[in-house]
Amino acid sequence: MPISEETVTFFNRTVTEYDPAEPVTLSDDTVYRLSLDYEDEQSMSELIEEFLGLIDKSQLSALIIGAWSDESDVSSAALVETLVRHAGELPNLRALFIGDMTYEEREISWIVQSDLTPLLNAFPQLEEFRVRGTDELKFQPFTHAKLRTLTIESGGLPDSVVQSLAASTMPALSHLELWLGTDGYGFSGNVALYQDLVAKLRTPTLAYLGLRNAEIADKLAVWLAGYELVGCLTTLDLSLGTLGDVGAEALFNSPYVPKLKTLNLEHHYISEEWQEKLKSLPITVDLSDPQDEDDDGDRYVAVSE
């Protein structure tokens, strides 16, 4: 299930594609997406400069960066440098998405990122930070007082990124969403790594925990079924992964899962018997997009390459 559609809402706003031929109007209802087409000769840094030159920079509160090059080896480093250079003129930037690309623009595991820590350090008012693609993605341990939503989408999340996040401090965090992916595209983690991460990043405000697109979904479910934090969440999201009956049974028997409002298991390998049992829980359980193992008994995450 490659990502085939551009993001339509972000930061509770409707996404509008930036078009140099059209007037630019900032509002609380829209967020602009900057993206280069294959035939564009300018760089993303130049496009950012152009866009910022048309607006009241002090009023920009959200921004999406889409495809930044038609060359497969160009990283996000230059655009990060450009945004950081203008940080003093963008005091109210509260939401940023780096890498909003469909598979036609770049497969998720071929999106070349960079060290994104400078963005978090430069924009202390950020409340939502979303990243797609983890090739060359790096974070240095950071402290961010305002960040509430952190989302990293990948076909294979490197251990180094998770370890850096575990060493960071986000006291306002309420939404933590990580796409773990598969070892064929960079994932090499285990349950212990994510136990450590969640233990260190959990806050009294954490309401959504998403460990999505995971080839170790069953093992994660067994752990989380016995983890008291789950009873304090609103949503537990294990969707897009390889969850089967082992994980389903653990979640069904958990003393904490019934305290949730929503359990998202979309794209799963759960038998009809266990699906029916999960449906009997007194919460909303998303069991859409059931999958079948292939002839060799293999399961696949929804998003990998």
Side-chain angles (χ1 to χ4, degrees), residues 165-176:
L165 294 178
S168 299
T169 303
M170 292 169 269
L173 194 65
S174 62
H175 179 116
L176 177 62

Side-chain angles (χ1 to χ4, degrees), residues 106-184:
R106 187 82 75 245
E107 296 280 8
I108 192 169
S109 293
W110 297 94
I111 297 173
V112 184
Q113 290 285 357
S114 59
D115 188 345
L116 301 187
T117 319
L119 291 172
L120 293 165
N121 292 335
F123 296 104
Q125 300 305 314
L126 275 184
E127 298 173 14
E128 180 165 355
F129 189 51
R130 182 174 172 186
V131 179
R132 180 173 295 159
T134 53
D135 187 13
E136 297 190 19
L137 177 65
K138 295 181 179 64
F139 288 100
Q140 308 303 319
F142 61 86
T143 296
H144 201 292
K146 296 292 184 68
L147 197 65
R148 294 186 298 157
T149 298
L150 175 63
T151 302
I152 301 177
E153 303 171 357
S154 83
L157 187 60
D159 288 5
S160 58
V161 171
V162 180
Q163 290 161 353
S164 293
L165 294 178
S168 299
T169 303
M170 292 169 269
L173 194 65
S174 62
H175 179 116
L176 177 62
E177 180 179 346
L178 303 176
W179 295 23
L180 280 60
T182 177
D183 58 9

Side-chain angles (χ1 to χ4, degrees), residues 60-266:
L60 184 67
S61 56
L63 183 64
I64 297 174
I65 303 295
W68 52 75
S69 176
D70 61 359
E71 299 292 333
S72 61
D73 59 348
V74 176
S75 79
S76 60
L79 71 90
V80 168
E81 182 181 350
T82 301
L83 288 170
V84 170
R85 187 168 65 250
H86 285 280
E89 304 168 275
L90 303 169
N92 292 309
L93 189 65
R94 293 186 289 126
L96 186 58
F97 181 3
I98 305 293
D100 183 22
M101 305 182 207
T102 67
Y103 77 94
E104 292 180 332
E105 294 169 303
R106 187 82 75 245
E107 296 280 8
I108 192 169
S109 293
W110 297 94
I111 297 173
V112 184
Q113 290 285 357
S114 59
D115 188 345
L116 301 187
T117 319
L119 291 172
L120 293 165
N121 292 335
F123 296 104
Q125 300 305 314
L126 275 184
E127 298 173 14
E128 180 165 355
F129 189 51
R130 182 174 172 186
V131 179
R132 180 173 295 159
T134 53
D135 187 13
E136 297 190 19
L137 177 65
K138 295 181 179 64
F139 288 100
Q140 308 303 319
F142 61 86
T143 296
H144 201 292
K146 296 292 184 68
L147 197 65
R148 294 186 298 157
T149 298
L150 175 63
T151 302
I152 301 177
E153 303 171 357
S154 83
L157 187 60
D159 288 5
S160 58
V161 171
V162 180
Q163 290 161 353
S164 293
L165 294 178
S168 299
T169 303
M170 292 169 269
L173 194 65
S174 62
H175 179 116
L176 177 62
E177 180 179 346
L178 303 176
W179 295 23
L180 280 60
T182 177
D183 58 9
Y185 290 95
F187 173 75
S188 58
N190 54 32
V191 172
L193 179 68
Y194 289 90
Q195 287 174 329
D196 181 62
L197 173 76
V198 175
K200 289 178 177 176
L201 291 187
R202 65 176 295 182
T203 65
T205 56
L206 189 66
Y208 171 103
L209 176 62
L211 298 177
R212 311 181 68 194
N213 200 46
E215 67 179 7
I216 59 168
D218 273 330
K219 294 178 180 178
L220 292 170
V222 170
W223 155 50
L224 290 165
Y227 190 20
E228 48 82 23
L229 169 66
V230 170
C232 303
L233 300 173
T234 299
T235 300
L236 176 62
D237 191 343
L238 297 175
S239 63
L240 308 183
T242 61
L243 191 76
D245 285 0
V246 170
E249 181 175 3
L251 294 169
F252 178 77
N253 290 319
S254 168
Y256 306 114
V257 167
K259 299 179 182 181
L260 294 166
K261 288 187 178 179
T262 302
L263 175 63
N264 187 356
L265 305 179
E266 176 191 1

